[in-house]
Amino acid sequence: MAIKEGLRPGGRSARVQESVHSAVRQLLQEQERASVTVPQIAARAGVTPSTIYRRWGDLAALLADVALARMRPDSEPANTGSLRGDLQAWAEQYLDEMSSEPGRNMMRDVQSSQTPGYCVTILGGQLQVILDRYQASGQALPSVDRLINLLAAPTVFRILFGAAPMRVEELYELIEIALQP
Amino acid sequence: MAIKEGLRPGGRSARVQESVHSAVRQLLQEQERASVTVPQIAARAGVTPSTIYRRWGDLAALLADVALARMRPDSEPANTGSLRGDLQAWAEQYLDEMSSEPGRNMMRDVQSSQTPGYCVTILGGQLQVILDRYQASGQALPSVDRLINLLAAPTVFRILFGAAPMRVEELYELIEIALQP
């Protein structure tokens, strides 16, 4: 899409993305989420609404993209020196982030977006970084899918549908199950 | 609430519930979900909008209540003669139901409702029925929470956020994990 837009597609495309994301972040701080509109975002970002529709499809997809960009971690998962310790640190942080207001909003936006699977791709990437640290250790490693099914899924399910949030002890029990050969 | 409304609260309350639920089901068949309104439902059900607001709070809560009533199973989970077989039958049916259009709508409505935990209560009740069949068998039984974390949560997480749906073989592997002591 960006290629249609100019001679230096990467440059212009990246600038549009940054100014639109920044406009969304500002507007979400200033007003109720439900009242933010595409024309408003376009005006703040200095682009036309059709630029936004062409690039993101709709408001839900744009909000999801902004939320995912925010969730994409700046740094690698904590390295504690053991697989169990790394998973405990990662799972506790994931529980905290998803339980927070921005985390809940992100889950809502991602569900309304056209590419909800992108979220699991980011998640899987983080878990793969942890597993890669222990590839040479000789211990049997769980698969990324197993970790997503046994750690991420129950954490999110309980936030979205549970009567009570997941306790850290429960999360640790799930890590022990995931580590069983 | 029903007590305020008449001399035979159970009778009137049950009739209001049935006519409102029935109006919602009809309207959802006739028109787009996003265009259904509380005044429309009230007109079809022969009640005032304030009756609906008083009883359900808002449209999202009402839609969730209707969806949950529909999901609440008419019959007990299949009895195959073994815990493993019962869980396999239940999990496959749960995967089918949640992947369907009504299932996805229900998950969306329940998330917007004030009492999302109600959904897990129904789920837990179904799983408890299965476990109760094997209480006297002497085998070690998983807890309901374990089954929700290891079976229901990954199924739903993959539907909401995954790039590909859960395969039945994966579901069976998760059942084996849940059955490990």
Side-chain angles (χ1 to χ4, degrees), chain A residues 28-45:
Chain A
L28 287 177
Q29 287 199 332
E30 293 166 16
Q31 64 191 60
E32 281 297 311
R33 184 177 204 76
S35 68
V36 174
T37 65
V38 168
Q40 235 182 356
I41 295 165
R44 179 71 63 100

Side-chain angles (χ1 to χ4, degrees), chain A residues 94 107 110-111 116-117 119-120 123 145-146 148-150 152-154 156-158 160-163 166 170 174 177 180, chain B residues 94 107 110-111 116-117 119-120 123 145-146 148-150 152-154 156-158 160-163 166 170 174 177 180:
Chain A
Y94 186 70
M107 290 192 284
V110 167
Q111 285 181 67
C119 168
V120 174
L123 203 63
D145 283 350
R146 182 176 171 106
I148 288 176
N149 282 337
L150 300 187
V156 164
F157 183 84
R158 288 281 289 275
L160 296 180
F161 301 104
M166 176 87 81
E170 274 184 280
L174 288 167
I177 295 173
Q180 279 164 24
Chain B
Y94 186 70
M107 290 192 285
V110 167
Q111 286 181 65
C119 168
V120 175
L123 204 62
D145 283 348
R146 182 177 172 107
I148 288 177
N149 282 336
L150 301 187
V156 165
F157 183 84
R158 288 281 288 276
L160 297 180
F161 300 105
M166 177 86 81
E170 274 184 280
L174 288 166
I177 295 173
Q180 279 165 24

Side-chain angles (χ1 to χ4, degrees), chain A residues 75-90 93 126 129-135 139:
Chain A
S75 55
E76 293 203 340
N79 189 339
T80 66
S82 78
L83 177 56
R84 175 174 284 109
D86 288 6
L87 290 177
Q88 288 174 343
W90 176 85
Q93 195 188 341
Q126 294 172 0
V129 167
I130 293 177
L131 293 175
D132 285 346
R133 292 176 186 151
Y134 303 95
Q135 295 292 0
Q139 66 186 304

